[in-house]
């Protein structure tokens, strides 16, 4: 069977990237974390003083989009496809709370989404890709071979992100993380363009009480069944 395009969507911290990375490794595919692209654009806007009173100055950001170089490179040490912004590896910087608290404002700008979706579609041209995000199954790859919609409660997701941040140089309290996740859930699912929603043909995978390996096994079983059908 030809290589597949696999779309993984869901709310923040449902474990999309973890699952996508494990799946890509198992299948020998490329993993693209589309959220990292919106985060890199947000980092660019922060570093270039494009926020005023907590609001993004769109007229400054939009003309800059096409001059940004955003690409991924595989880090052979940790097996992670890491994001570069204008030649700098920003994989860690983009996970800071400051970026997390502003990224939804950036991700709802039409020009930003068009720019990111174009890049994402180009990355999928050769198939053999696992992409995770919010609108992958609905907008980026509506014809994806497999669409997974990951789901877990806000409390479970906040605890996961909190524990992840504790391991970095930019930790935050559980309450801060929970508040941020709840705010992003609301903005991501109610924004005008490409809001987060389950594609009609996506399969829901509940993983609140599953480990990353158990989630992987569940999805690999689905993929094997799919391959047997073809
Ligand atoms: O997956 P994440 O939390 O790193 O994503 C960061 C933000 O980017 C999130 O608040 C919503 C936005 N996003 C989006 O709008 N569309 C995507 N395909 C991926 C992420």
């Amino acid at each position: 069977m030809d290589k597949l395009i696999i779309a993984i969507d869901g709310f923040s911290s449902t474990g999309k990237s973890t699952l996508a990375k494990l799946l890509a490794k198992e299948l020998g595919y490329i993993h693209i974390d589309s959220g990292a692209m919106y985060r890199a654009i947000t980092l660019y806007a922060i570093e270039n003083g494009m926020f005023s009173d907590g609001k993004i100055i769109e007229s400054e950001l939009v003309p800059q989009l096409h001059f940004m170089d955003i690409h991924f490179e595989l880090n052979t040490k940790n097996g992670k496809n890491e994001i570069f912004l204008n030649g700098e590896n920003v994989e860690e910087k983009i996970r800071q709370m400051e970026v997390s608290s502003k990224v939804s404002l950036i991700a709802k700008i039409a020009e930003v989404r068009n720019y990111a979706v174009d890049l994402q579609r180009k990355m999928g041209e050769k198939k053999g890709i696992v992409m995770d995000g919010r609108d992958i199954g609905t907008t980026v790859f509506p014809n994806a071979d497999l669409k997974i919609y990951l789901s877990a409660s806000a409390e479970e997701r906040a605890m996961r992100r909190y524990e992840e941040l504790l391991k970095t140089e930019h930790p935050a309290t559980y309450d801060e993380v929970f508040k941020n996740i709840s705010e992003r859930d609301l903005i991501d699912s109610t924004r005008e363009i490409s809001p987060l929603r389950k594609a009609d043909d996506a399969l829901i995978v509940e993983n609140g009480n599953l480990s990353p390996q158990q989630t992987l096994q569940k999805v690999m079983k689905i993929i094997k069944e799919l391959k047997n059908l073809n």
Side-chain angles (χ1 to χ4, degrees), residues 12 16 34-35 38-39 95 103-104 107 113 133-136 161 184 188 191:
S12 301
K16 300 182 298 292
S34 67
Y38 294 101
R39 286 173 177 270
R95 312 284 163 198
V103 62
S104 288
R113 298 209 72 84
R134 304 292 188 291
D135 60 340
I136 310 306
R161 184 54 64 104
R184 283 201 287 150
D188 293 345
R191 70 171 173 237

Side-chain angles (χ1 to χ4, degrees), residues 158-216:
M159 186 51 79
R160 279 183 196 157
R161 184 54 64 104
Y162 165 70
E163 285 172 352
E164 248 172 53
L165 285 172
L166 276 186
K167 296 181 212 144
T168 72
E169 285 172 19
H170 307 281
T173 66
Y174 171 83
D175 288 348
E176 278 171 334
V177 178
F178 183 81
K179 186 166 170 276
N180 174 252
I181 281 193
S182 309
E183 280 167 5
R184 283 201 287 150
D185 283 0
L186 184 71
I187 302 179
D188 293 345
S189 55
T190 55
R191 70 171 173 237
E192 233 167 88
I193 316 162
S194 301
L196 166 68
R197 69 170 181 81
K198 186 187 100 52
D200 294 339
D201 49 352
L203 302 172
I204 298 178
V205 173
E206 288 280 351
N207 76 343
N209 52 11
L210 297 184
S211 69
Q213 279 303 326
Q214 288 170 323
T215 312
L216 171 70

Side-chain angles (χ1 to χ4, degrees), residues 32 47 53 76 82 90 92 147 158 166 201 228:
I32 299 294
E47 290 186 337
D53 292 332
T76 48
E82 297 184 331
V90 291
E92 183 150 328
K147 299 179 187 177
L166 276 186
D201 49 352
N228 285 341

Side-chain angles (χ1 to χ4, degrees), residues 107-176:
K108 66 180 188 185
I109 302 172
E111 291 86 348
V112 168
R113 298 209 72 84
N114 290 339
Y115 168 75
V117 169
D118 277 353
L119 274 181
Q120 289 154 9
R121 288 189 178 142
K122 278 195 193 100
M123 291 172 180
E125 268 167 5
K126 292 188 189 134
K127 302 192 103 188
I129 190 168
V130 187
M131 191 175 289
D132 69 283
R134 304 292 188 291
D135 60 340
I136 310 306
T138 52
T139 304
V140 182
F141 298 125
N143 296 323
D145 304 281
L146 175 65
K147 299 179 187 177
I148 299 289
Y149 189 83
L150 272 187
S151 170
S153 74
E155 287 77 10
E156 283 158 342
R157 293 183 283 124
M159 186 51 79
R160 279 183 196 157
R161 184 54 64 104
Y162 165 70
E163 285 172 352
E164 248 172 53
L165 285 172
L166 276 186
K167 296 181 212 144
T168 72
E169 285 172 19
H170 307 281
T173 66
Y174 171 83
D175 288 348
E176 278 171 334

Side-chain angles (χ1 to χ4, degrees), residues 1-14:
M1 190 187 180
D2 288 345
K3 287 188 167 182
L4 309 176
I5 292 187
I6 302 176
I8 302 179
D9 290 301
F11 281 118
S12 301
S13 302
T14 36

